[in-house]
Amino acid sequence: GLLPGETVIKEGKASILFPSANEVFYNPVQEFNRDLTCAVLTEFVREQLSARGVRVEVPGEESRVVVHLAEDGASQGEARTAVVGECCEDGLRVLEGLAASGLRSVRFALEVPGLRSVTANDCSSRAVNLIARNALHNSVSHLVTPSHRDASMLMYEARGRKERYDVIDLDPYGSPAPFLDAAVQAVSEGGLLCVTCTDMAVMAGNCGETCYSKYGSVSIKAKYCHEMALRIILHSLDQRAGVYQRFIEPLLSVSVDFYIRVFVRVRTGQARVKSSASKQALVYNCTGCGSFHLQRLGKRTSQGNQMKYSAASGPPVGPNCEHCGYKHHLGGPIWAEPIHSPEFVQKVLSAVSANPSRFATSRRIEGILSVITEELEDVPLYYTLDSLSSTVHCNTPSLLQARSALLHAGHRVSLSHACKNALKTDAPASALWDIMRCWEKMNPVKREKLSETSPAFHILSTAPVCPACWTEDRPALLLSPTPHPAFTLLSLRALPHSPLSLPALPHCSLTRCPASLSSLSPLKSFLCKRFHQGTCTQGEQCCYSHVDQQGQSAAGE
């Protein structure tokens, strides 16, 4: 029963008791974090148990019959079933190192099938007493075990192969740095490590020296700071795992609200650990125009069946930026490899989309994961459209126009879930500034007001090498993102059709569409706006229609 002054908070399938004095921290904004963790953990459990012949049954999901095959291929009948709220003998052992009220652990027990045990640990005796009461209140005491220990010591004692946890979740109030060394040792082979960082001021460049002391990486102030924060924590995890001949495989990394959250698989292998240096990179960031370059710490080359490791060559830039003449700031090292597993993200996205009533934040999860599936995997960091425009002091093109210009120039481009106006592209900085010079010619700035020492003056003093096309009404528009009201961090959500698959188109002038577009018959159904305004000079070669729906010439020819 409730004690005097206590309140009950319901989240997901859990009903949690909280003291009125707020002795145990609860943050309702983190509901999305907990929902996403339950979704990720469910798919991870499904992967692990399917190999053991156990079928995972999730409430609200259409039942799928899984037949377990023996090594000789003979069927052994329908697999055993794991359901929520019940202890699974072949299930996974979960540790929540900093459990507070035990809300997350209780939700695991009530919403994630296939678990053998959930250890909810906290160093506060009041928190542990509350965890025990909440487990009893939700009838999951057979699954959730309260633990009153120091989280690091508890994990250090679980370093033995038989004592390791299959899943470790660390969601501290602040930095997880003190717990990472123990965590990478205490997670089982191929196990899942979930880490949250809320010390974003440190990781986003306000305190680079503090960031280095905690994570072994210098953060810098830049527009891409949110993705850089993700790559800093991944670098720190991989570095600490490497000490014990282990390495990480990122499954999902998200930057939302006021925190970042990473889900990584931890494996062991001395040969794979040798690749660690080549997965890290330093960042050279221009203090003037914001151009950045990455310098890998190591070099990895394949020689037949063997891999050769050597020192990387560099640096990629000189002391001053080639575009604006300003100095570079040095940041990192950061993780320079992909920060998501596309296959795993797609599994989570498909499961959430097929069962939207499972979580209160399902639509937001769908939106963020949809954008993540479209992100360029091999392109670290990003530029922002407003910062590019601000540098040259001109107005800002639309996101569709910028994407079109990059696609016309033959580059790949995508959005980023970490920033709503980001441009993640493989185009070099020189190509981006060429495009902005072309945009400035269409939207001229007052050159006399520019200081001769400003980045804008240096950049605009150089003529564009390649012309750019800013026309929106092209295949990029048809493949462009559409609004997704549930995705609050981005105003746009990617469609299943990816712009990455669009073939590169030839360059075109500032005011003309490429002739090759005239062969794209779908565009002929659209009326030419320039012809209607009397400014189109393409004639029959125009890729748009000069005739309205009544068959009359749009300009009265």
Side-chain angles (χ1 to χ4, degrees), residues 273-345:
V273 172
K274 290 182 180 180
S275 301
S276 180
S278 60
K279 297 177 182 178
Q280 322 299 324
L282 296 171
V283 181
Y284 290 85
N285 187 80
C286 175
T287 58
C289 65
S291 302
F292 60 86
H293 301 267
L294 267 64
Q295 167 68 63
R296 296 273 180 160
L297 291 185
K299 185 179 180 181
R300 178 181 56 193
T301 53
S302 177
Q303 294 184 343
N305 296 329
Q306 293 184 340
M307 195 70 68
K308 181 181 179 181
Y309 303 96
S310 57
S313 57
V317 293
N320 297 323
C321 176
E322 62 178 311
H323 307 293
C324 69
Y326 277 59
K327 293 182 179 180
H328 289 101
H329 275 171
L330 184 61
I334 64 170
W335 177 265
E337 295 293 297
I339 61 176
H340 315 289
S341 167
E343 296 79 10
F344 186 83
V345 173

Side-chain angles (χ1 to χ4, degrees), residues 203-432:
M203 305 193 75
N206 287 342
C207 308
E209 67 287 348
T210 304
C211 186
Y212 180 80
S213 66
K214 290 183 176 181
Y215 303 103
S217 178
V218 177
S219 60
I220 53 178
K221 284 188 177 181
K223 294 296 182 179
Y224 49 74
C225 61
H226 292 103
E227 182 179 325
M228 186 172 183
L230 288 171
R231 295 181 178 277
I232 286 175
I233 185 62
L234 291 175
H235 158 74
S236 185
L237 285 169
D238 189 66
Q239 186 181 47
R240 299 182 194 217
V243 175
Y244 309 102
Q245 301 302 305
R246 312 195 81 182
F247 61 94
I248 66 167
E249 295 176 350
L251 298 180
L252 174 63
S253 309
V254 295
S255 172
V256 293
D257 299 326
F258 56 88
Y259 61 90
I260 57 174
R261 176 80 161 164
V262 295
F263 302 87
V264 302
R265 199 191 302 268
V266 181
R267 298 190 186 276
T268 306
Q270 184 178 7
R272 293 286 298 273
V273 172
K274 290 182 180 180
S275 301
S276 180
S278 60
K279 297 177 182 178
Q280 322 299 324
L282 296 171
V283 181
Y284 290 85
N285 187 80
C286 175
T287 58
C289 65
S291 302
F292 60 86
H293 301 267
L294 267 64
Q295 167 68 63
R296 296 273 180 160
L297 291 185
K299 185 179 180 181
R300 178 181 56 193
T301 53
S302 177
Q303 294 184 343
N305 296 329
Q306 293 184 340
M307 195 70 68
K308 181 181 179 181
Y309 303 96
S310 57
S313 57
V317 293
N320 297 323
C321 176
E322 62 178 311
H323 307 293
C324 69
Y326 277 59
K327 293 182 179 180
H328 289 101
H329 275 171
L330 184 61
I334 64 170
W335 177 265
E337 295 293 297
I339 61 176
H340 315 289
S341 167
E343 296 79 10
F344 186 83
V345 173
Q346 189 59 55
K347 288 180 182 178
V348 178
L349 175 58
S350 300
V352 175
S353 301
N355 190 9
S357 61
R358 185 182 178 196
F359 304 114
T361 62
S362 286
R363 297 191 66 197
R364 190 184 182 198
I365 294 176
E366 287 182 59
I368 291 180
L369 296 187
S370 295
V371 175
I372 286 176
T373 60
E374 300 294 339
E375 286 185 9
L376 291 173
E377 301 176 43
D378 56 344
V379 178
L381 310 180
Y382 53 79
Y383 291 90
T384 61
L385 203 52
D386 57 341
S387 65
L388 292 173
S389 304
S390 175
T391 299
V392 295
H393 299 291
C394 68
N395 58 356
T396 306
S398 70
L399 191 58
L400 290 175
Q401 287 175 314
R403 293 177 67 193
S404 297
L406 286 165
L407 289 169
H408 270 297
H411 302 292
R412 294 180 299 150
V413 60
S414 76
L415 302 175
S416 170
H417 81 280
C419 181
K420 66 179 181 181
N421 60 344
L423 286 174
K424 184 182 280 286
T425 177
D426 61 353
S430 57
L432 283 168

